Each structure stands twice: as C-alpha cells, then as structure tokens.
Amino acid sequence: ENNNPPLINKVEVKDGYFNVTIGDQVYQIPVVEGLECAINAEGLVDGLWTIAGGVEASFSVKVNLADGDLVRVNVPADWNARVSEYSAGATAVTVTLTPPITPSECTIVVEVTRGVNTASDQIKAKTISDSYWAEYQAGFDIKIGDVVINKFDYPNAKLLQDGETVPATGVYFIADGAIVKRGGGVSDLILIAEKKNNSFTSKVLTTGIISLGNAQEGIGFLCKGIALSSDGELKNVYWFNLSSNIIERLYLDHCRIELPKDKNFSNFSTAASGIRNLLIESCYIAVPNSNNTILFMRYDMGKFGNAKIYNNVF
C-alpha cells in the first residue's frame, strides 16, 4: 500500500492553458491551437539519422503555419542548415543540411514559433565514415561484442604503421595497407583495422606461439576487421595457447584468420584453462589443405562461460 500523497493533484485544460496542480501550486502550459512541428526523416534507426559526410541531405517537417510564424533549425556551426521558403497555410517545410566531411554527430532541433509560443522537435544525426580510426578520434563508440571502445574510456589508443611491432597490452588501430607483427604473449590487447571496408588490408603477423595472458578481470584479446596470420614455422601443433590461464574474452569480429599449415588454431583444453566469453563472428577462416585432422577450436566446454561462433565462412 502506498500512503504517499499524489505528486500531481489535478490536470485540466482551461482558458487556453494546460493546467497542472502540484500541491498548492498551479503550473500553466499554453495551448496554441494548430501549432505543430514534427520531423519526418527517412531511414531513422533507433532514432538516429545517418548521412554521408560533406554531402547535402534533407528531411521534411510537418507544420501548420499561420501568418507571422517563424521556422528555425538549430545545429552546430560546422553543420550547414537551411529551411525552405514557406508561407501561411503551409503544412510542410524542408530542412536541408550539409554536415562536415569528418566524422561528426549532433542533435538537430527544429522550432516553429508563433508569438511567444514555440513547438519543437529534434533528432540525432551522425555522419557515415569508412574509418574506425577517424570515428575513434571523433569520439564515436566502436563495438566489439559487449565491449565499447572510445577515446574517453581508452584515451591512449594509437595507429600503428607498416613494420611496427604490436605491444602486448593496449588499444591499437592498424593502418590501412600496413603489416605489423606480434610475438609472445598478449594481455588485454585490442586490435582494430583503420578502415571499415572489410577488405582485410590491415594485417597482423604473429611470430611463434601466442600465449593469452591471465586476465580474468580485464578485457582479454579482441580483434576487429584485421587479417590475422602466422609468420614462420610453429614448433608446436597449435597457434594460440592459454598456458593454463583463464581470460575474460577472446573476440574475433569480422576478421580474416589464416591458420598456419598443419596447425590447430588453439590449445585451450588443459584443466586450468578457460575463456569466460568467446565470440567468433562474421570471419573468413582459411584452413590450408592438410593430410592431418585440424582442430580449429579445442576446449573443455566446462571451462567456457558464453561461447558464440556464428556467421563465419570456413
């Protein structure tokens, strides 16, 4: 049973006002008949309007204009916006915008003013980019499974160029057309392609066995959009090894994975090994022809938390 007094005591429309009584105080909201402003932008996804950077785009706004009404659009200075010509009796106007070329997002607010009263509507807009690195610099979110990478939470990300070595820990974007190397173990390492074109032109060569470090409470090892392959012969029959560790995540998202010839992808089956979250999504997985049985993923399922392997091409 709720014994608290109601927050709103009374609601009524009277003398051109929408009256809300809270306690002993009456709050009045003007009711202006026919005043309307409703944005109609095609292609909204979850309330977000995505458009190409530097390219003019437009949407319509439902209105009901009378003499003296004013229509305004409010956007940041680097978003060029204008409203089509209008007059009394118009039921729609067109708002045209040219966003900046660089990745950007903003809230677009359209207002229709009649005297001292205003009706408004708004949408969020974002430019489409072909570069994860550019979006990171602009403050956008980049998702890999349930992990969100942006410059606010991960401010020290770097763009690695051709010939550079990948450190064991950190967030690194691999330049388009670059080949970088990583040898030894990794711990809380995130690798992302510079471009979003799914051409796998950001390449990571591993040297020797890659041991996944013991990072139970950390990020783990995440890759997005890269080509992952091995450089040289592997002495063991596997490529990646948990070394009796348990890691939080192993995520491979939209990658090209080229297994070394006659080698298994993983050796995660020791009693002390485990992965709390495994995701292999929308990857191209190349397995060289072999006379041996090749195990892509060998593990003790009891040591895994969530395992998702889907939409891949072997």
Side-chain angles (χ1 to χ4, degrees):
E1 182 179 354
N2 185 0
N3 295 320
N4 295 324
L7 177 62
I8 299 176
N9 301 98
K10 186 178 180 181
V11 175
E12 66 176 351
V13 177
K14 184 178 180 180
D15 299 329
Y17 287 92
F18 182 72
N19 299 322
V20 180
T21 303
I22 300 177
D24 297 329
Q25 182 68 42
V26 178
Y27 298 89
Q28 293 187 315
I29 302 172
V31 176
V32 182
E33 185 177 354
L35 185 58
E36 188 172 5
C37 179
I39 294 174
N40 180 23
E42 296 183 357
L44 286 179
V45 178
D46 295 330
L48 181 66
W49 190 45
T50 55
I51 55 179
V55 178
E56 190 176 271
S58 61
F59 58 79
S60 64
V61 182
K62 184 180 179 182
V63 295
N64 185 18
L65 299 183
D67 284 332
D69 285 0
L70 297 176
V71 183
R72 302 186 188 91
V73 56
N74 298 314
V75 293
D78 55 348
W79 286 64
N80 186 10
R82 68 178 187 275
V83 180
S84 62
E85 293 186 3
Y86 57 87
S87 58
T91 57
V93 297
T94 299
V95 173
T96 302
L97 301 103
T98 304
I101 296 176
T102 55
S104 181
E105 58 185 351
C106 74
T107 299
I108 303 169
V109 180
V110 180
E111 299 176 342
V112 178
T113 301
R114 181 174 300 170
V116 298
N117 302 304
T118 298
S120 67
D121 196 6
Q122 66 182 38
I123 58 172
K124 291 185 177 180
K126 176 181 177 180
T127 58
I128 299 171
S129 169
D130 67 347
S131 171
Y132 287 123
W133 174 242
E135 290 192 351
Y136 168 82
Q137 292 178 303
F140 290 8
D141 290 341
I142 300 170
K143 293 184 178 181
I144 308 177
D146 61 338
V147 178
V148 176
I149 295 97
N150 56 51
K151 71 175 184 180
F152 308 106
D153 296 328
Y154 300 90
N156 300 317
K158 296 180 180 178
L159 178 66
L160 298 182
Q161 302 294 333
D162 188 52
E164 292 194 76
T165 299
V166 179
T169 302
V171 179
Y172 300 95
F173 292 78
I174 314 303
D176 188 43
I179 300 176
V180 298
K181 290 188 177 183
R182 175 64 209 162
V186 302
S187 178
D188 287 343
L189 179 63
I190 301 174
L191 303 177
I192 304 172
E194 177 187 7
K195 296 291 186 179
K196 301 165 63 175
N197 54 17
N198 286 332
S199 60
F200 311 114
T201 51
S202 296
K203 300 182 179 181
V204 179
L205 291 179
T206 66
T207 56
I209 298 169
I210 300 299
S211 295
L212 303 180
N214 194 16
Q216 296 187 46
E217 302 301 329
I219 292 297
F221 181 46
L222 282 59
C223 296
K224 187 178 184 73
I226 66 170
L228 186 64
S229 59
S230 177
D231 182 28
E233 290 293 324
L234 295 178
K235 295 180 180 180
N236 296 67
V237 296
Y238 50 83
W239 187 10
F240 282 82
N241 183 25
L242 268 174
S243 301
S244 299
N245 291 324
I246 297 176
I247 64 168
E248 186 69 26
R249 298 174 185 84
L250 173 60
Y251 288 176
L252 302 171
D253 179 11
H254 287 80
C255 293
R256 179 176 176 85
I257 305 164
E258 299 179 12
L259 269 65
K261 184 173 174 57
D262 295 327
K263 305 298 181 182
N264 302 320
F265 177 83
S266 63
N267 185 51
F268 301 162
S269 61
T270 61
S273 298
I275 301 173
R276 290 182 172 172
N277 296 280
L278 171 69
L279 173 66
I280 304 176
E281 176 187 0
S282 301
C283 293
Y284 289 91
I285 302 168
V287 183
N289 187 32
S290 175
N291 293 323
N292 302 322
T293 298
I294 301 301
L295 303 176
F296 176 72
M297 185 65 66
R298 179 187 179 189
Y299 56 83
D300 175 1
M301 193 62 201
K303 293 295 182 181
F304 280 64
N306 300 306
K308 298 180 181 180
I309 304 175
Y310 63 97
N311 199 37
N312 300 289
V313 176
F314 286 82

